[in-house]
């Protein structure tokens, strides 16, 4: 297995490995270390069945079954389809998943470790991929904060709410998302997490906040929290922390949800097809 850094703020390419063959414990540990170090890793030219993708993902921890998942891959509730494609007029997947800055599962008491995405159809225009996935580095975002902010944030907690992202997505023109049912809301009540997390792989401090789900810094007044979040959301999206994965068919893309935030870029038309399989790995191995 050959790991090559992109040389950018995030990202590494991992070659000479066939993910259809379940990796050894040593190899899994190498991949975990690469996730901590590079934040985002991609394995090009993979050829995987859904079950192989699920089994590979499950080597990293418990897999999530999405509360609003109407688009499971057949017989595999842990696998979600992200797609704008339809069959007989019916959507094949969730078409607007992740289309704003967020961290997956920060709204969950047990947070997410890593996502495993497998690109089957990638929209292309003029020789360039569309629907790319962008990331920001939360190790760097915390490290660059002025000391007064670091001191202010250490020891604080923030509330994260699943409904914030869902309700915001519903406001976007053409959204097909249905209102969450009371049962779905109840299944995902808001939760609190430390604002500054010691990253379990790197042992460095990361800023664990995101515009998608974070709604309040609990130990501040509403006004102080609103002002702090406005500042921190802008800070964490600084261009200096950004990295973009440009998709190719056959890529398996993984990222560390504790040390990055991400955004699925919605720059393609309904006629430009994207079809991606996704498994979400919870941080069961760390917490
Ligand atoms: C996600 O937020 O998990 C989806 C990312 C993507 O489709 O690029």
């Amino acid at each position: 297995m050959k790991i090559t850094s992109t040389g950018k703020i995030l990202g590494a390419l991992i070659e000479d490995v066939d993910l259809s063959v379940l990796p050894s414990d040593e190899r899994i540990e190498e991949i975990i270390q690469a996730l901590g170090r590079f934040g985002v890793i991609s394995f090009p030219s993979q050829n995987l069945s859904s079950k192989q993708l699920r089994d590979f993902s499950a080597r990293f921890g418990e897999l999530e079954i999405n509360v609003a998942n109407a688009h499971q891959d057949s017989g595999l509730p842990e696998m979600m389809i992200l797609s704008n494609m339809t069959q007989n007029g019916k959507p094949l997947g969730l078409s607007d998943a992740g289309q704003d800055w967020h961290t997956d599962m920060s709204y969950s008491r047990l947070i997410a470790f890593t996502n495993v995405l497998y690109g089957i159809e990638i929209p292309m225009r003029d020789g360039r991929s569309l629907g790319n996935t962008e990331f920001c580095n939360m190790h760097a975002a915390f490290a660059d904060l002025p000391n007064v902010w670091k001191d202010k944030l250490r020891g604080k907690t923030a509330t994260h709410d699943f409904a914030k992202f869902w309700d915001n997505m519903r406001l976007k023109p053409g959204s097909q998302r249905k209102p969450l049912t009371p049962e779905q809301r109840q299944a995902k009540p808001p939760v609190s997490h430390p604002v500054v997390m010691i990253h379990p792989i790197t042992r460095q401090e990361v800023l664990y906040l995101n515009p998608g789900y974070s709604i309040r810094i609990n130990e501040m007044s509403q006004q102080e929290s609103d002002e702090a979040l406005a500042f921190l959301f802008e800070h964490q999206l600084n261009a200096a922390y950004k990295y973009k994965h440009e998709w190719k068919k056959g890529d398996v893309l993984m990222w560390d949800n504790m040390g990055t935030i991400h955004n699925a870029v919605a720059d393609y038309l309904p006629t430009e097809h994207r079809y991606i399989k996704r498994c979400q790995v919870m941080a069961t191995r760390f917490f």
Side-chain angles (χ1 to χ4, degrees):
M1 190 165 86
K2 187 172 127 214
I3 305 179
T4 314
S5 166
T6 60
K8 299 183 180 163
I9 186 82
L10 288 165
L13 189 69
I14 307 195
E15 295 165 295
D16 299 342
V17 59
D18 174 1
L19 302 184
S20 70
V21 180
L22 276 189
S24 63
D25 288 351
E26 290 73 27
R27 188 148 275 187
I28 292 291
E29 190 51 38
E30 257 186 286
I31 296 173
I32 290 171
Q33 291 304 318
L35 274 169
R37 176 160 173 215
F38 300 108
V40 182
I41 55 180
S42 65
F43 303 82
S45 309
Q46 297 294 323
N47 187 2
L48 300 176
S49 68
S50 291
K51 189 172 167 315
Q52 286 166 336
L53 181 65
R54 194 268 315 264
D55 291 349
F56 169 71
S57 306
R59 295 285 278 112
F60 295 90
E62 196 175 293
L63 301 183
E64 195 244 350
I65 298 179
N66 195 288
V67 63
N69 188 2
H71 304 293
Q72 300 163 357
D73 200 29
S74 40
L76 297 176
E78 314 91 332
M79 186 160 301
M80 194 155 176
I81 304 298
L82 314 178
S83 183
N84 62 349
M85 295 169 73
T86 57
Q87 198 170 46
N88 303 324
K90 292 214 174 91
L92 285 181
L94 188 61
S95 59
D96 61 355
Q99 291 181 350
D100 218 334
W101 286 99
H102 66 290
T103 304
D104 287 316
M105 310 292 304
S106 73
Y107 55 78
S108 172
R109 195 155 298 288
L110 176 62
I111 60 173
F113 167 28
T114 181
N115 273 21
V116 189
L117 268 64
Y118 178 38
I120 313 252
E121 287 291 336
I122 304 300
M124 300 289 295
R125 203 185 297 157
D126 303 328
R128 297 192 70 82
S129 60
L130 302 168
N132 291 316
T133 313
E134 298 180 312
F135 298 88
C136 285
N137 184 328
M138 291 304 107
H139 281 90
F142 185 76
D144 286 353
L145 279 173
N147 283 337
V148 37
W149 271 98
K150 288 182 178 163
D151 291 341
K152 189 148 82 163
L153 296 176
R154 287 187 182 113
K156 300 279 191 303
T157 61
T159 302
H160 300 252
D161 189 356
F162 175 75
K164 178 182 181 189
F165 193 85
W166 190 276
D167 293 344
N168 281 339
M169 290 305 292
R170 278 181 31 80
L171 298 176
K172 296 203 175 183
S175 172
Q176 310 272 312
R177 289 190 188 220
K178 297 194 170 66
L180 288 172
T181 63
E183 293 72 31
Q184 285 170 326
R185 282 181 197 269
Q186 232 170 24
K188 294 283 178 197
V191 299
S192 292
H193 295 296
V195 171
V196 183
M197 190 198 287
I198 304 296
H199 191 285
I201 304 171
T202 63
R203 310 309 303 169
Q204 307 284 314
E205 290 173 309
V206 292
L207 182 61
Y208 192 73
L209 277 179
N210 66 88
Y213 294 115
S214 311
I215 56 171
R216 171 86 195 251
I217 298 181
N218 299 318
E219 298 77 8
M220 295 181 176
S221 70
Q222 184 69 56
Q223 186 185 339
E224 202 191 347
S225 165
D226 288 349
E227 285 168 9
L229 287 181
F231 166 74
L232 292 165
F233 291 159
E234 191 179 333
H235 170 73
Q236 64 185 171
L237 294 180
N238 189 303
Y241 309 135
K242 274 192 189 152
Y243 167 75
K244 178 167 66 175
H245 177 72
E246 300 188 23
W247 279 96
K248 288 191 203 66
K249 269 190 198 192
D251 280 352
V252 167
L253 180 70
M254 294 180 74
W255 64 84
D256 161 28
N257 272 304
M258 299 173 289
T260 65
I261 61 173
H262 65 278
N263 170 40
V265 181
D267 58 354
Y268 51 100
L269 301 170
T271 50
E272 294 172 310
H273 290 162
R274 189 177 197 258
Y275 190 97
I276 287 188
K277 294 184 180 180
R278 179 183 81 178
C279 288
Q280 184 118 242
V281 185
M282 306 306 293
T284 38
R285 68 169 53 235
F286 303 117
F287 302 110

